[in-house]
Amino acid sequence: MARATQKSGFEMARRPNQPTRGTEAVLRVFHVQNAQWATLYLLRKFNINARDDLVGSDFGRYLKYKRPERRGGKPFLSGKTWKTQHDPWRAISKTAFGIDYVKPYRARDPDAQRKLDNHCKMLELNHYDSDDNPTYGWDAYVQRIVSLAYIELFQSVYVQHKENFTEPPNEDDPDIENPYKEDRKTEHNRHEYVPHLDTLDNGNAILIFDNSHTGSIEDTMIAARKQWEARWRRLPFYLVYEGSHDVSNDDQMALQCMKMVLADIWKCTAESWEGFLDIADTHISILEDKIYEEPADESRAPELWTNSSWWLKLERLMFTHVDVIRECQANLREVADDPTDSDVWLEAAPGDFDRLSNRIQEDLVKPTANLADLMYKSVGIRDSRHSLQLSMSMWRLSWITFVFLPIVAACSFFVGFELVLLQDL
């Protein structure tokens, strides 16, 4: 099932009690869920696929690859940001970021024909069934969310921001060619698409491209028509009646709305991490019960090493998310043209992810390392006990040999002597 929605776009985000305001939306939020046709349309509408070095980037190519990268046949988790770009011809600024994240799904029922591709499957986790018995219960898959923002300048999240006034470069400047001129087509690039400025979307916008492994709109990070989408429909209400935000004009209102939407995206990401870590905690507790019950059982060793590898990958992904947040903060300040606004954009996100990073370390990495250490020590104690038993057996054998070897030697001498005498007879 595929869906593409636009919040506060088709339904204009107007300030309450200002019916005389223009028809242009203050901000539009496009949330695209598993809809390739909508992605392709928006790539063209916002000129995201532009090949010109002045106004283009590789964001469009990144966006088309909905699945995370694979290295050595396994998913490679990553995150990426795109530096702020200014397009004076469209009077916009733009920046973007994309992140991979881990989404847990209930383990597939063999009787249910739920066709899931294992291309992005990362790990398997245990849980307790209805009878409170440990069993295989979760599959964790890697998914990707991309966001782009335009600030009327521009941000899989994509942000675009509209500038108040930007004078385009002089048309006579030979070093800076207008990328939107029709006559820039030559014999070598006559088939190149050159968009018309009046056909492009040059307003304030945030584009969120959200894809799920199952293709269901309920399995994306930001579920359809749930908490976050409902909140975004009412942004002007929250801004005006909370009274803590500057909404004195449309530009300020657009910036405040952008701050709230982008902060919500990272809050939703943090909630996704929380849900996954809760499941991972249960998995670790089951593993602890099994190992503490018989710590010297070496058959659990492969599971421990696999878990250790998973947790280290998740920890690296968490560090990647933290780095993306910090880079986004700098890019968004540049988009808003406010270099001193250092603690407003995504203000709570670094603290949330630092806390989650600490939780991975304390609840996953360290307990697994402790279990491995316990197993090593238990195996060492068992081997030492076996060595002592073997040493005791060898000691007894040595004493037996010490006592009986001379007797056996003497007996063999006399028996041999008697045999000689019998031969003489």
Side-chain angles (χ1 to χ4, degrees), residues 4 13 27 38 40 60 62 92-93 143 146 172 197 265 269-270 272 283 306 312 330 335 343 352 358 363 421:
L27 172 68
L40 296 175
Y62 176 88
I92 63 163
S93 292
Q143 297 185 169
V146 187
D172 299 328
L197 278 175
I265 291 172
T269 306
S272 177
H283 175 81
T306 303
L312 292 176
V335 164
D343 60 346
D352 291 340
N358 183 67
D363 296 350
L421 293 176

Side-chain angles (χ1 to χ4, degrees), residues 397 399-417:
L397 180 61
W399 271 106
I400 292 172
T401 303
F402 176 76
V403 172
F404 287 99
L405 185 60
I407 297 175
V408 170
C411 290
S412 63
F413 172 76
F414 287 107
V415 169
F417 181 74

Side-chain angles (χ1 to χ4, degrees), residues 303-320:
E303 187 176 1
L304 270 177
W305 313 148
T306 303
N307 278 264
S308 297
S309 174
W310 289 344
W311 309 148
L312 292 176
K313 289 179 181 178
L314 290 174
E315 191 172 31
R316 285 198 295 268
L317 179 62
M318 180 63 70
F319 293 150
T320 300

Side-chain angles (χ1 to χ4, degrees), residues 148-353:
L148 188 64
Y150 281 90
I151 308 186
E152 224 174 307
L153 294 174
F154 186 71
Q155 193 190 16
S156 219
V157 176
Y158 182 82
V159 181
Q160 176 171 296
H161 179 240
K162 182 179 180 181
E163 295 174 333
N164 291 330
F165 176 76
T166 302
E167 184 176 351
N170 192 329
E171 293 288 344
D172 299 328
D173 191 338
D175 296 326
I176 303 178
E177 184 179 3
N178 185 346
Y180 304 103
K181 286 180 65 175
E182 277 291 330
D183 58 4
R184 67 191 298 266
K185 291 185 178 182
T186 65
E187 183 66 24
H188 299 288
N189 63 355
R190 62 180 182 274
H191 299 297
E192 180 182 354
Y193 168 70
V194 178
H196 294 280
L197 278 175
D198 56 356
T199 64
L200 298 177
D201 193 310
N202 301 319
N204 296 314
I206 294 179
L207 281 64
I208 305 168
F209 301 92
D210 203 354
N211 298 293
S212 66
H213 180 70
T214 60
S216 171
I217 61 176
E218 300 299 328
D219 292 332
T220 55
M221 179 184 288
I222 303 171
R225 304 183 185 90
K226 296 296 177 65
Q227 172 189 358
W228 301 109
E229 283 195 359
R231 171 178 164 83
W232 296 341
R233 291 178 183 273
R234 301 178 179 88
L235 284 180
F237 171 82
Y238 293 126
L239 288 173
V240 173
Y241 291 103
E242 283 180 4
S244 58
H245 304 284
D246 179 12
V247 290
S248 56
N249 55 57
D250 288 348
D251 291 336
Q252 287 299 322
M253 186 176 187
L255 287 174
Q256 296 299 336
C257 287
M258 281 188 169
K259 290 175 183 177
M260 293 183 71
V261 172
L262 294 172
D264 288 348
I265 291 172
W266 285 104
K267 287 179 184 176
C268 187
T269 306
E271 286 186 359
S272 177
W273 270 109
E274 291 278 7
F276 173 79
L277 292 179
D278 288 341
I279 295 172
D281 283 346
T282 304
H283 175 81
I284 284 293
S285 67
I286 293 173
L287 189 59
E288 286 177 334
D289 292 342
K290 292 177 180 177
I291 291 179
Y292 285 136
E293 185 177 345
E294 195 173 352
D297 182 6
E298 296 178 51
S299 64
R300 301 290 177 188
E303 187 176 1
L304 270 177
W305 313 148
T306 303
N307 278 264
S308 297
S309 174
W310 289 344
W311 309 148
L312 292 176
K313 289 179 181 178
L314 290 174
E315 191 172 31
R316 285 198 295 268
L317 179 62
M318 180 63 70
F319 293 150
T320 300
H321 284 188
V322 173
D323 291 340
V324 169
I325 289 172
R326 290 170 179 162
E327 291 174 10
C328 282
Q329 287 177 316
N331 293 342
L332 290 168
R333 287 197 297 271
E334 186 177 351
V335 164
D337 196 23
D338 188 1
T340 62
D341 193 9
S342 59
D343 60 346
V344 177
W345 290 94
L346 311 178
E347 183 177 10
D352 291 340
F353 280 80

